[in-house]
Amino acid sequence: MVSLGFIEKTPKVPCCTNAYAYDIEHSDTAVLLPRTPLQRRLKGRHVVMISIGGVIGTGLFLGTATALMEGGPVGLLLGYTFMGTMCYCVMISVGEMISLLPIPGGHIRLAERFVDPAFSLAMGWNCWYCWTLTLGEAELSAAATLIDYWNPGVNNAAWITVCLVVAVGINLFGVGTYGEMEFIFASIKVVTITGLLILGIVLDLGGGPSHDRIGFRYWKNPGPFVQFDGIAGAKGRFLGFVRVLLQAAFSFIGTEVVTMAAAEMKNPRYAMPRAIRTVYVRILLFYVGGVFVIGLLVPSGSPLLSLNSSDASSSPFVIAISRAGIRYLPSILNAVILTSAWSASSSDLYLSSRCLYGLALTGNAPKIFLRTSRSGHPYVAVMFCSLFSLLSYMVVNTSSGIVFSWFADMAATTGLLAWFCMGVTYIRFYQGLLAQGYDRKCLPYASILQPYAAWWVIASSLITLLFSGWQVFLRANWSTATFVTTYLPIMLFPVLFVSAKFLMRVPLVKPSEMDFKSGTEDIDTERFKEPSPKNWREAVWMSLVRILSSMTTEMFAYCNITDVTWVHDVIPVWNAQILLLQSGPLFVSQT
């Protein structure tokens, strides 16, 4: 076997002094990119927290209401466990490839290297569609549903606007600000979910104000499964379980945000494996543990679980706490869940903009999306993708719960297609390693479950897609909206692939000719440990200073005024505060 021969230390790409930077990843195309390429500003702590709680949003907090109502507590638990195995296999598959090749565009660019350009085009636009037209809008629509809990009479357009400003604002200030904000949001979500799990167990055992010991009462009545649409027997229970799978897919989709961020990550070959190894925490503790507690505390027949009415405005967690008779806590929890919607929509916008940037790098999108600021921020792609968030204003004339269900179905379908493509890409990657005699033990990250995990992703995603919208074919159950939102992406993908294949006329990449090394010449793989705060006050202050420093730098870069003398005096002050905090006790300079 041949070692891949990683270079332990490579010189960083020098800062460009002119307004254009040469694209080292496509040196044969001789493309001149305005400004600088993407910069590596995400730190190890950002990556770990994003991988654990980055895109945990309303899919878990709100979408589980529909899943419980349609599948029952056991159907809910089995559905999320099944989808959790898929999610884990996706992450170890794409994580192995990205740890070796942390390039802009992530798995979309890897599909071009290991499959063919046509497959990369179809996969890339499917992912962009998923993250732009579905996930972001679903989170924003869900945010309006959550806020309705307090103010049901206020026009939802007001809440959509507030959430939209937060999500777009975070992304416009660059990846440094995004990393710090996601670190804060993810920390809040991790603490919240952990607290909810503990509270749920306490309430189930009779520790609430009413001292009602629930146990497994709701698993017996109404029952462990729901007979979907009144269909009796095992058939009805199975169909209910399948409906849970689609909702569970929506909850898990977006986990790959950490792999798309690899091109802007410091020490990617060190930080990425650490992040991948924490994915199981999210799956087992947060998702599987969360739905288990929900199934214990809320009966599947509760009318509050329905999202088809204009006043459906609380999550299963809020319903459970309200039923327990705990005052004030439901409102506090709803506020925390709202921050998760902000966080998830911000992550979706980040994903869609980097996806569009990657498509432009491969020539599958207009080159204007390659434009970046002086700090390497693809602001054109961010602003273009943010325009599609205006679709979330559909909730103004339709129930926010219904719109959320539409977007959730689209997100699940396109997300499962993306997972299928990642599985195919990994199988080709694996074949290339074998054909060229490389030893997988030399990879920055490698799983003993491969290639079986990738094959499981391919098979399970296809089976889930096959049953994704079956309910519209039941007698007297036709829904045009459900049919379009579920099957439109499935029909578009092969059309895109076949059309691109016909126009490009490029054969599949031969395993013996696959490129495993180019495009990573600028990576400094030296493994250093980042300094950690000594106490919680230092942690809070360091995060605040980094956010302000990142926002200040990005703002000056946009305005093109970095040559002004006072700017050079301001930015070092922020950096000095950070260095001071890293070297001693909490002390703020009076400078």
Side-chain angles (χ1 to χ4, degrees), residues 454-523:
W455 283 114
W456 168 246
V457 171
I458 294 173
S460 57
S461 58
L462 286 177
I463 293 173
T464 306
L465 284 170
L466 179 65
F467 289 98
S468 58
W470 56 266
Q471 71 274 15
V472 300
F473 300 108
L474 296 177
R475 181 176 298 178
N477 206 32
W478 174 260
S479 172
T480 303
T482 302
F483 178 82
V484 171
T485 56
T486 303
Y487 287 106
L488 179 62
I490 299 177
M491 294 183 288
L492 285 178
F493 181 82
V495 171
L496 276 176
F497 175 68
V498 172
S499 300
K501 194 73 175 175
F502 176 78
L503 294 174
M504 294 180 177
R505 300 182 184 277
V506 178
L508 289 175
V509 180
K510 296 180 180 179
S512 60
E513 298 176 357
M514 292 178 180
D515 179 10
F516 292 99
K517 292 185 177 181
S518 67
T520 59
E521 294 83 358
D522 64 327
I523 297 176

Side-chain angles (χ1 to χ4, degrees), residues 331-346:
S331 292
I332 297 174
L333 177 59
N334 220 56
V336 173
I337 296 175
L338 181 60
T339 64
S340 74
W342 290 346
S343 170
S345 58
S346 174

